[in-house]
Amino acid sequence: MRYFIRFSYFGKAYHGWQNQPNAITVQEVLEKAMSTLLRQPIEVVGAGRTDAGVHAKEMYAHFDSEPISDKQDFVYRLNAFLPEDIAVFDLVKVKENANARFDAGERTYEYWLVQQKNPFYFELAHCIRQPLNLEAMNEAAKLLLEHSDFESFSKSNTDVKTYICDVREAFWEDRGDKLVFTISADRFLRNMVRAVVGTLLEVGLGKRKPDEVNQIIESKDRSKAGVSVPAKGLYLTAVSYPKTILDE
């Protein structure tokens, strides 16, 4: 039977989501814990591939196993096997062909920014102490919705077949103790959000005009965009799925 798990993780200790031969990843730790609990080899497929140091407030993955009769007991015992920086919240039975990666209709990320030294955000947000023009940053962010090819914000030498993404929202907001950039799309390219934020920060610092974002995107040249911001401020916050994947 196929199941989805809903979970979160703090990414500092991990070299991203996906299994790698010489580095610890969230997928590896999760698969080991689930294999131990279910006493069979378990492979999980995640909703996306977060980079090293990136966090996930809401992440999904699917796996196949024998029927699990007690959902709450499974979640409780699995969390006992997992380290403190990974937490599972729910188990959902889905249809046999449901796929956590390919059935995801929308993904949302947030990037956290602080403007003064704050020990409580030291590992949670990027710090920029210079004044930022939030209005100009939002003007530039809005232009992202007018484009579909985001090669300029993609990490070089990736194995993707297309750079097309449907960006549905992109905006900055002041939440009092931090500035937060929110962006939603059907899919994201490797390093895309961090490169977008780095570019928008250059607008906010007055190094670029907002409408230069158009030229950057149209160039399809990564070197034209801004420097990627640190991973510690990036959070996957939501993944949505159609109800049709549920096995009810």
Side-chain angles (χ1 to χ4, degrees):
M1 292 187 170
R2 179 157 293 187
Y3 295 91
F4 271 31
I5 52 170
R6 179 172 61 86
F7 58 103
S8 67
Y9 54 85
F10 185 68
K12 181 185 176 182
Y14 303 101
H15 203 75
W17 158 257
Q18 191 172 18
N19 283 334
Q20 298 186 36
N22 299 308
I24 188 168
T25 66
V26 179
Q27 184 180 18
E28 175 189 350
V29 173
L30 195 55
E31 287 180 342
K32 284 184 178 179
M34 294 177 69
S35 297
T36 301
L37 176 59
L38 295 172
R39 299 179 182 178
Q40 60 178 302
I42 296 293
E43 295 182 3
V44 299
V45 176
R49 304 176 184 180
T50 55
D51 291 336
V54 175
H55 320 293
K57 288 191 169 186
E58 180 176 81
M59 177 66 140
Y60 287 86
H62 77 251
F63 68 97
D64 297 320
S65 79
E66 296 299 315
I68 298 172
S69 57
D70 192 329
K71 179 177 74 172
Q72 290 184 334
D73 179 67
F74 171 83
V75 171
Y76 176 82
R77 290 196 292 152
L78 179 55
N79 277 317
F81 281 103
L82 290 169
E84 294 298 323
D85 52 10
I86 303 176
V88 175
F89 301 109
D90 201 7
L91 175 75
V92 181
K93 190 171 181 294
V94 295
K95 293 179 179 176
E96 293 296 321
N97 62 348
N99 189 294
R101 180 181 177 189
F102 296 118
D103 286 331
E106 184 174 271
R107 298 163 173 86
T108 299
Y109 281 91
E110 288 183 357
Y111 195 85
W112 291 7
L113 195 73
V114 292
Q115 294 225 260
Q116 61 183 1
K117 186 176 180 180
N118 187 328
F120 297 104
Y121 280 108
F122 173 65
E123 294 182 337
L124 303 175
H126 181 38
C127 183
I128 295 286
R129 300 188 187 184
Q130 301 99 307
L132 291 170
N133 185 335
L134 202 63
E135 184 178 348
M137 289 160 65
N138 267 322
E139 184 181 340
K142 193 179 298 184
L143 297 175
L144 296 170
L145 278 64
E146 299 177 7
H147 297 270
S148 59
D149 188 323
F150 292 96
E151 184 174 358
S152 297
F153 299 121
S154 175
K155 191 169 186 176
S156 303
N157 302 318
T158 58
D159 58 356
V160 297
K161 296 178 181 179
T162 176
Y163 295 99
I164 302 300
C165 303
D166 177 16
V167 176
R168 298 163 183 173
E169 65 174 359
F171 61 91
W172 288 89
E173 60 182 333
D174 187 342
R175 295 187 184 174
D177 59 347
K178 60 182 176 289
L179 300 178
V180 177
F181 176 63
T182 300
I183 184 168
S184 298
D186 61 337
R187 64 190 289 267
F188 289 92
L189 306 168
R190 282 196 66 188
N191 205 56
M192 177 175 164
V193 180
R194 291 163 62 194
V196 166
V197 172
T199 304
L200 296 179
L201 285 178
E202 292 186 355
V203 173
L205 290 167
K207 296 179 179 180
R208 298 182 190 264
K209 294 181 179 179
D211 61 6
E212 285 186 50
V213 168
N214 288 324
Q215 301 165 25
I216 292 169
I217 296 173
E218 290 164 2
S219 74
K220 300 184 181 181
D221 184 347
R222 176 65 185 90
S223 68
K224 301 293 185 185
V227 175
S228 295
V229 288
K232 65 180 182 179
L234 184 58
Y235 300 80
L236 174 63
T237 59
V239 186
S240 64
Y241 293 94
K243 292 183 178 180
T244 51
I245 68 168
L246 299 175
D247 185 11
E248 296 177 328

